Amino acid sequence: MGGLGWLVLLAAIALVVVWTVGLVRFVDRLPRTAEAQPPTADAVVVLTGGSRRVDEGVALLEAGAAPVLFVSGVDERVDGKGIRSLLDDGDTRLPDKLIDCCLVLGHGATDTIGNARETEIWMAVGDRESMLLVTSNYHMPRAMLEFAHAMPSVRITPYPVIPQDVRLDHWYRYPGTLALLANEYSKYLFATARVTVAGWFMVVAS
């Protein structure tokens, strides 16, 4: 192996080491619990795609944390009554009166960037200035990054959901959890780079 080959190998090893250290720090900083009494807000916003997210959003709505629940990323075939199909807990109830008065479904998002964009539009139309953001704990760092980038003037309070099947204690021992966290961390890195570059362009343009 020539000198260039060794340099490439060393660079690859260094990247793997840096990525691995970053992954460990990323997992260590993930929230393990949600606030027992979160602050009230203009809306509860739930991102679909993980277990118990809608259940937690409904619980916050019923507890009076916000006057309205916005669920982003809902399949276009699901209507207000069909939202019950997204509930994981058989003990969770979604009364018709809450569906009629206080539930809004967003059908325009297929990923986290889309969640942020459709929520931004909905928040602006209603002149809402604060939200409780509900998503899985492992997804929360990227969600907060995208939402803060899309809505810098909105007060966003994270309300992480703790999935029972994502084992953060000794996570490296469980292949499914390891793969999930590694994938999410990689997505978080790409999102950070994209948001950073977008911020530079905004500064230059101004």
Side-chain angles (χ1 to χ4, degrees):
M1 184 181 293
L4 180 59
W6 279 110
L7 286 175
V8 172
L9 177 60
L10 290 175
I13 293 173
L15 285 174
V16 170
V17 170
V18 170
W19 182 89
T20 302
V21 171
L23 173 62
V24 172
R25 291 181 176 177
F26 175 80
V27 176
D28 285 344
R29 293 172 181 171
L30 292 179
R32 265 61 174 180
T33 59
E35 291 186 50
Q37 294 183 328
T40 56
D42 293 332
V44 175
V45 176
V46 175
L47 310 186
T48 58
S51 62
R52 293 202 56 79
R53 295 183 187 180
V54 178
D55 298 72
E56 294 292 345
V58 170
L60 287 169
L61 178 65
E62 292 188 305
V68 62
L69 169 63
F70 181 69
V71 185
S72 175
V74 179
D75 189 290
E76 61 182 9
R77 294 168 295 182
V78 176
D79 58 14
K81 301 295 175 61
I83 196 68
R84 293 188 177 99
S85 65
L86 300 180
L87 299 173
D88 296 296
D89 190 346
D91 294 330
T92 302
R93 297 289 182 264
L94 187 54
D96 287 344
K97 64 178 181 179
L98 285 182
I99 294 176
D100 295 336
C101 77
C102 312
L103 176 67
V104 181
L105 304 183
H107 298 285
T110 58
D111 55 20
T112 307
I113 297 175
N115 291 142
R117 288 174 177 170
E118 84 166 355
T119 303
E120 175 195 10
I121 294 171
W122 179 77
M123 292 284 289
V125 169
D127 291 325
R128 298 178 177 90
E129 299 178 347
S130 62
M131 73 169 74
L132 291 172
L133 180 60
V134 180
T135 189
S136 302
N137 58 348
Y138 61 84
H139 182 234
M140 188 60 77
R142 184 159 59 98
M144 286 293 293
L145 179 71
E146 297 289 5
F147 273 63
H149 177 65
M151 294 167 278
S153 62
V154 173
R155 177 172 60 84
I156 305 170
T157 301
Y159 191 86
V161 177
I162 317 300
Q164 294 181 351
D165 57 344
V166 179
R167 308 169 183 178
L168 293 185
D169 294 332
H170 306 296
W171 51 272
Y172 44 85
R173 296 182 181 177
Y174 305 101
T177 298
L178 173 58
L180 173 69
L181 295 175
N183 182 53
E184 184 58 39
Y185 174 60
S186 297
K187 290 181 178 180
Y188 174 74
L189 290 180
F190 282 114
T192 300
R194 182 182 56 78
V195 168
T196 301
V197 171
W200 290 342
F201 278 110
M202 290 180 63
V203 170
V204 171
S206 63

